[in-house]
Amino acid sequence: MNMYTDKRADFFKDRYENRARLIIKCPDQPGIVSAISTFLWNEQANIVSSNQFTVNPKGGEFFMRLDFEYQPGTDVEKLKKEFREVAGRFQMEWRLSLIHELKNMAIFVSKEPHCLLELLWEWQSGDLMANIPVVISNHENAREMVEALGIDFYHLPITKETKQEIEAKQKEILEDYDIDLIILARYMQILSPAFVEVFKNRIINIHHSFLPAFIGAKPYERAFERGVKMIGATSHYVTNDLDEGPIIEQGTEPVSHEHNVDDLKKIGQSIERRVLAQAVKWHLEDRIIVYGNKTIVFE
């Protein structure tokens, strides 16, 4: 991490030293917001921001993202323990996190570096608040650009025969670095069901088409053959259904008959970079709640 990034991270940690975030999903019913607000008031905490959404106020699902400032010296573990009574009363699935504790993110990449470079630039500029201790690749292409930033780089070539062995090594590395989130920045390998299950809703992929169109290989060639007038990219959580995980963000750009396949790829790569970076930021900021095979995104 360079000096500028260090300063931005320190500033972020100081700014949010006494701030926490509640993420909540539960059956909708009267009294949820009141109960949460009363609990925080009793703890002398101050609500800074609050976003909520209900699928249906009559028997639907309720979602909430709430930031609050707590008193210096507050025993956060005790606060979590006491909140369980409120959570139990409303059948909540919930998570309380401290905002100043940055998530540890690993990036997987293959030959094409454009998405990796975008994430590294966002990280260097202080606009992507996370720790990036490691990059894993099945090719050597990105080693120099990664190690120049003081990030560890692991080259793990993979074949059908070595897949199980390599994934075991990847898991060891991810455990060693205490990784919270994995980004597939154009990592051209299909992860095994066992690997995906360990990191459920914690692996973000970028797909080089506007899903559900052109699933699978060579989307730009297929888009060109169809004479499409718009191309796009989709960032989604990885599941064991190929390219069908919960969608986080999508983007599009208009194209015309004057564009050839190389033009489409160039435009598409620009969209991929933008869409993936946005999806990663939203995850790091706890703005996403998975609901079935969809997402609720508090922008």
Side-chain angles (χ1 to χ4, degrees):
M1 187 180 292
N2 60 40
M3 186 179 298
Y4 181 64
T5 310
D6 278 336
K7 288 181 178 179
R8 288 294 296 266
D10 290 342
F11 174 79
F12 180 88
K13 292 175 182 178
D14 289 343
R15 180 180 179 183
Y16 296 108
E17 182 181 5
N18 295 309
R19 194 168 295 186
R21 177 172 295 137
L22 266 171
I23 303 296
I24 293 167
K25 176 170 68 174
C26 65
D28 198 5
Q29 56 194 291
I32 299 171
V33 176
S34 175
I36 295 169
S37 301
T38 300
F39 172 82
L40 293 175
W41 182 81
N42 287 333
E43 296 292 333
Q44 297 183 297
N46 184 37
I47 296 173
V48 177
S49 67
S50 179
N51 293 277
Q52 62 197 63
F53 172 74
T54 182
V55 174
N56 186 333
K58 297 181 179 178
E61 201 79 9
F62 176 85
F63 306 88
M64 190 174 201
R65 176 185 184 272
L66 182 148
D67 286 5
F68 65 92
E69 194 90 9
Y70 54 86
Q71 294 294 320
T74 295
D75 185 338
V76 177
E77 291 305 315
K78 181 172 178 288
L79 187 128
K80 289 180 182 179
K81 184 177 180 180
E82 291 174 350
F83 186 74
R84 290 184 188 129
E85 188 277 325
V86 177
R89 202 188 324 157
F90 292 95
Q91 300 174 278
M92 293 179 183
E93 294 179 32
W94 62 285
R95 182 174 76 255
L96 192 155
S97 59
L98 303 182
I99 296 177
H100 70 268
E101 293 183 347
L102 299 182
K103 294 178 176 65
N104 295 326
M105 187 172 92
I107 303 175
F108 283 34
V109 65
S110 289
K111 287 184 177 180
E112 296 184 349
H114 57 283
C115 287
L116 168 66
L117 286 170
E118 181 73 19
L119 293 173
L120 294 178
W121 166 247
E122 294 276 3
W123 174 72
Q124 281 185 282
S125 65
D127 293 326
L128 193 156
M129 295 310 303
N131 299 315
I132 307 179
V134 62
V135 171
I136 297 174
S137 180
N138 55 332
H139 296 276
E140 282 279 9
N141 305 44
R143 178 183 291 279
E144 186 175 345
M145 64 184 75
V146 169
E147 292 184 339
L149 296 174
I151 300 171
D152 293 340
F153 182 89
Y154 288 83
H155 175 221
L156 299 176
I158 187 168
T159 65
K160 187 183 296 184
E161 293 72 28
T162 64
K163 186 179 183 67
Q164 188 172 351
E165 176 190 347
I166 294 301
E167 284 198 348
K169 289 182 181 178
Q170 290 171 342
K171 287 179 184 176
E172 287 180 12
I173 294 169
L174 297 171
E175 186 175 332
D176 288 343
Y177 287 93
D178 194 22
I179 293 300
D180 303 298
L181 174 66
I182 300 168
I183 309 301
L184 306 185
R186 294 307 309 268
Y187 181 65
M188 309 308 290
Q189 294 289 328
I190 297 174
L191 302 176
S192 72
F195 189 99
V196 172
E197 184 60 32
V198 172
F199 298 95
K200 185 177 181 180
N201 296 332
R202 293 192 292 144
I203 307 174
I204 296 178
N205 185 41
I206 183 67
H207 190 277
H208 42 299
S209 73
F210 193 77
L211 295 174
F214 305 118
I215 292 174
K218 297 188 175 181
Y220 294 117
E221 286 80 356
R222 292 157 63 203
F224 177 74
E225 290 168 4
R226 289 292 306 275
V228 301
K229 305 306 179 191
M230 186 171 288
I231 62 170
T234 301
S235 188
H236 63 93
Y237 287 115
V238 174
T239 66
N240 291 318
D241 296 318
L242 182 63
D243 298 332
E244 295 187 14
I247 291 171
I248 302 169
E249 171 67 332
Q250 296 182 289
T252 59
E253 293 285 349
V255 294
S256 75
H257 60 277
E258 295 183 351
H259 293 105
N260 59 32
V261 172
D262 288 337
D263 294 332
L264 297 186
K265 287 181 179 179
K266 187 174 181 179
I267 297 168
Q269 287 181 347
S270 177
I271 308 170
E272 290 167 24
R273 297 199 307 267
R274 182 176 73 246
V275 168
L276 179 60
Q278 183 63 78
V280 172
K281 288 178 186 178
W282 278 337
H283 181 99
L284 294 174
E285 295 169 3
D286 302 307
R287 295 185 179 276
I288 310 166
I289 302 177
V290 175
Y291 174 51
N293 200 44
K294 300 191 293 185
T295 58
I296 307 298
V297 181
F298 291 114
E299 298 182 18

